Amino acid sequence: MSAKRGVTLRAQWLGKHLRELRERAGLTLKEAGEYLQRDGSTVSRFEAGLYPARTPDVLALLDLYGVTAPQARDGLVRLSRDVWQNGWWDDYSGDVSLGIVDYAWLEARAESITSFDALVIPGLLQTRDYMGAVIRAEDPDATDEQIDRWVEFRRTRQEILTDDAPRFSTILDECVLRRPIGGPATMRGQLTQLAQYASAPNIEIRVLPLSAGAHGSPDGAFRIFELPQPFPAVAYVPTPVGAIYVEGEAADGLKLKYDRMRRSTLSTRGSLELIAAVAESLSDA
């Protein structure tokens, strides 16, 4: 991975944790640099994510900062390797934004994913035809080759649900089921697949019915990724001009929002019955 490819969430996150550890140890940038036989500006670039620290430097800094807990050390060492080693997602860095590459990395590392969607089926549960229709509507000027590449990227992301899968819980606004993306046949296939996913032991799908009225996220979708210790939960909020990633209190606030909304959803059985009913209504369209 080249440092010139841009600052990734992974690099920023690693730098943030190294900065917090240095400050907790009461050391200056200059002191940390001298320990590494570098200057303080290099450590500053590590902490800003502009030039990610490599694993030997991370190990040395953890020693300097007095970090001895195996879980904390292992988590940061693994993160430092993720920053520099190519995962499958990095093969698509020339086709999609760095924000989406970081998103795929979070999915691959998450122990659980919580999702609310108000407009479209979440990408992890989409059929090929449905995702193609969504992507083409979002970028009507894209070539068929570009769309095929983006579809391939999204379908590769879906593999996390079949291999050592995280728990995936999603709330779908009823409008998501009733918006005929790609036409009746595509939508019917999508809803049929959605019902199949609902039977998986690690997947929970609940529908927020229109009858629930106003809900806790009128501004739209969000995701929450629960990651292994020592990392906190990370929340992702899509916007028309790019993704927003937050953690700490902001992520906790979205967790509470999700829990409140979940209390207004149909049961998993009731949700499955509604999905099936909408799919059946499309069969005669």
Side-chain angles (χ1 to χ4, degrees), residues 17 31 34 38 50 63 68 86 99 118 145 150 154 176 178 184 199 201 214 272:
H17 283 279
E31 289 169 332
E34 288 175 347
R38 300 169 183 261
L50 298 174
D63 290 339
T68 58
N86 281 341
E145 183 180 359
W150 295 335
R154 191 168 296 185
V176 173
R178 299 192 180 279
S199 65
L272 187 57

Side-chain angles (χ1 to χ4, degrees), residues 120-121 126 129-139 154 181:
V120 297
I121 303 292
Q126 292 176 5
D129 290 342
Y130 184 95
M131 67 178 67
V134 170
I135 292 169
R136 187 170 292 282
E138 184 177 5
D139 192 346
R154 191 168 296 185
I181 290 175

